Amino acid sequence: MAEDLQDYTIIKEGEADILMNVKNQVFFNKAQVNNRDLSIAVLRTFISKRQEEHEAMLSKRTKSAKKASEKDASGPAVEEASTGSALDNVKSNGECEVHEEISQNEPCSISEESVKNTEGNHHGELKPPKVLEALSASGLRALRYAREVEGIGKVVALDNDKASVEACQKNIKFNGSVAISKVESHLADARVYMLTHPKEFDVVDLDPYGSPSVFLDSAVQSIVDGGMLMCTATDMAVLCGGNGEVCYSKYGSYPLRGKYCHEMALRILLASIESHANRYKRYIVPVLSVQMNFYVRVFVRVYTSASAMKNTPLKLSYVYQCIGCDSYHLQPIGRTMSKGSSVRHLPGFGPVVPQECSDCGKKYNMGGPIWSAPIHDQEWVTSVLEGVKSMKDRYPAYDRISAVLTTISEELPDVPLFLSLHNLCATLKCTSPSAVIFRSAVINAGYRISGTHVNPLGLKSDAPMDVIWDIMRCWVKNHPVKAQAPDQPGSIILAKEPVLQANFARAVASLSKAQAKKVARFLPNPERHWGPKLRAGRQITTKHISLLGPEAVNGHLNHENSEETKAKRPKTGDTNDPTSST
């Protein structure tokens, strides 16, 4: 037994402890503490919001029933009143009333199921949420959910690797009675398990090693109406344009290699999830979308409504990116036309750009479709941030996740993608204005501007590209540049006279509240080699030093050498032992 314990190290994170085998048999990445902390914060907010929505639904049902009872004497009118009250109940969840064409013939089924579930419970109690961690590995995430999130129900941890399931079961026992009562581990293919458990889980967590694309179809089917899907994608080289054709085959979108590529990766993932949901008359509502370290992570609510699903083309757009300058334009896939109370869904008008860029005369690359609707719910972001700040001692990665959430809370929610001030200046070959000066010029021109959590140098603005270039032309007039070749994009842009005369006087809102208070928003990694780790089961060699660090690699190799030495010793002793059998 002592020899077995030497093969394990105890890892503590939050309130969970796990036994980790030093032979890399089961995957574990310390850097994902940010991911796990953020997921716990969102899960806590989801449970409280779910309770609020349930109480609001019960209150509305009570009022409707009271109105119906008051009209009891009206005979046939009772049936009409009860029908109307039922339809009111169906629309009790605000997410299902986003679009006006949700007809009474096709009500939002989330509330119907909620009503059925409530009737089955005593006094309308809401059952604790059931969580599925589809790819659990060591089970650390599932254990933290069970031990740290108040009001959580069962946590089902799946893995199709026998060693991982054994490690997870061992860790469940290691974490005591709370973990044993709430967490269960199964050896199963996550895709098959989710398909055979439709609309069963309130929360599904997908955190695969690589792309989640093969799990999305079954995941959107296994979530109850109004439930939450948490999804991570670590194949950033694919999502950010390194292999565009691979991205198209996996996600159904073509990426572009702009400075905004990481935000575009988020929007491609959201568009892919929406596409899978639409096949089952479902749609998603993003509450939080984050790009951190080496991955993207999205948190979306899943609802069912055949009518609301028709609005998906309004949320998707193609992107035209100029190959000469930083101008980009979005082409919505669909549009609506209202006539009285009816709404018609039509294809979007196009093209939004000519064959050549109006700013520099170069051609466009086309990418997408991407999710062009908001990727965050600011009310949710505020609630999650407040919850994190109120329980800062319970989050090991508090500094990092609070910094990210603070930056997200100040983003413009309705502006897809962003510009890079340094890229604009690189195109013109000019010195860069400070971010405060540039932001002031945009604000003084009557437009909005904010930062982005994806890139410290990124700027989101609703100002059109011709206004942005006019501001830069005015800047260059005050800060002249050397002459360039006339066919260069910068020369073509500067050859035009600015229509807008920029005002660079410092604006009141040129700094965000966090910047004004000097709150840290972009923190360095806490240690070296803070990034992706080797897939479980692969042998660690000296070629992995750049990925894992010399200390981790040397420690592993030394451990292997000592094991080999121990294995050889008995063979040497056997030849000298007179009692040994021949």
Side-chain angles (χ1 to χ4, degrees), residues 303-352:
Y303 297 98
T304 304
S305 171
S307 297
M309 185 195 70
K310 295 176 183 176
N311 292 288
T312 293
L314 307 178
K315 307 171 192 174
L316 303 177
S317 298
Y318 287 97
V319 183
Y320 290 95
Q321 172 67 61
C322 175
I323 62 174
C325 64
D326 295 283
S327 299
Y328 69 86
H329 304 271
L330 269 64
Q331 167 73 69
I333 289 180
R335 61 187 173 91
T336 56
M337 188 171 69
S338 301
K339 189 175 182 181
S341 59
S342 64
V343 178
R344 287 185 63 196
H345 291 263
L346 301 168
F349 285 127
V352 292

Side-chain angles (χ1 to χ4, degrees), residues 98-114:
V98 174
H99 304 288
E100 61 184 359
E101 80 278 12
I102 300 179
S103 64
Q104 292 183 344
N105 296 326
E106 294 179 304
C108 177
S109 62
I110 172 175
S111 299
E112 289 181 346
E113 291 201 359
S114 298

Side-chain angles (χ1 to χ4, degrees), residues 277-296:
N278 286 168
R279 295 163 200 176
Y280 308 100
K281 296 183 179 179
R282 313 193 88 181
Y283 66 100
I284 65 169
V285 178
V287 297
L288 179 64
S289 307
V290 182
Q291 189 275 321
M292 292 176 72
N293 298 334
F294 52 91
Y295 59 86
V296 290

Side-chain angles (χ1 to χ4, degrees), residues 66-192:
K66 190 176 180 181
K67 287 180 181 177
S69 62
E70 288 175 357
K71 296 179 180 179
D72 217 9
S74 59
V78 174
E79 292 183 8
E80 295 175 12
S82 61
T83 304
S85 65
L87 291 169
D88 286 341
N89 296 337
V90 159
K91 291 188 176 182
S92 62
N93 190 303
E95 298 291 355
C96 301
E97 295 184 273
V98 174
H99 304 288
E100 61 184 359
E101 80 278 12
I102 300 179
S103 64
Q104 292 183 344
N105 296 326
E106 294 179 304
C108 177
S109 62
I110 172 175
S111 299
E112 289 181 346
E113 291 201 359
S114 298
V115 170
K116 290 175 185 176
N117 292 337
T118 304
E119 289 172 353
N121 296 337
H122 296 289
H123 308 295
E125 289 183 8
L126 188 63
K127 290 182 180 178
K130 191 175 181 182
V131 180
L132 173 68
E133 190 195 355
L135 306 142
S136 62
S138 65
L140 175 59
R141 187 185 297 262
L143 291 167
R144 287 197 64 189
Y145 286 168
R147 295 197 59 168
E148 298 181 36
V149 181
E150 300 78 9
I152 201 169
K154 275 281 183 186
V155 182
V156 179
L158 302 180
D159 209 293
N160 65 349
D161 177 60
K162 190 176 180 181
S164 296
V165 174
E166 289 174 356
C168 185
Q169 290 172 346
K170 192 178 296 182
N171 289 326
I172 291 171
K173 293 177 183 176
F174 190 65
N175 279 268
S177 58
V178 174
I180 293 170
S181 63
K182 289 189 175 182
V183 185
E184 54 186 59
S185 178
H186 301 290
L187 178 65
D189 186 321
R191 293 167 294 183
V192 176

Side-chain angles (χ1 to χ4, degrees), residues 435-443 449-451 459 509-512 515:
V436 173
I437 290 175
F438 184 79
R439 290 167 70 129
S440 296
V442 173
I443 293 168
I449 190 167
S450 76
L459 294 171
S510 58
L511 286 176
S512 67
Q515 287 175 310

Side-chain angles (χ1 to χ4, degrees), residues 260 262-264 266-267 270 289 315 317 319 328-330 370-378 407-408 410-420 438 442 446-454 458-465 468:
Y260 50 67
H262 293 94
E263 183 179 327
M264 191 172 189
L266 276 171
R267 295 180 179 275
L270 288 171
S289 307
K315 307 171 192 174
S317 298
V319 183
Y328 69 86
H329 304 271
L330 269 64
I370 66 167
W371 181 273
S372 53
I375 60 175
H376 314 293
D377 183 324
Q378 291 299 336
T407 312
I408 289 173
E410 296 179 338
E411 279 186 14
L412 289 176
D414 56 343
V415 178
L417 308 180
F418 60 86
L419 293 165
S420 169
F438 184 79
V442 173
Y447 298 95
R448 298 175 297 149
I449 190 167
S450 76
T452 170
H453 79 280
V454 173
L459 294 171
K460 285 180 170 287
S461 177
D462 59 350
M465 285 308 305
I468 298 295

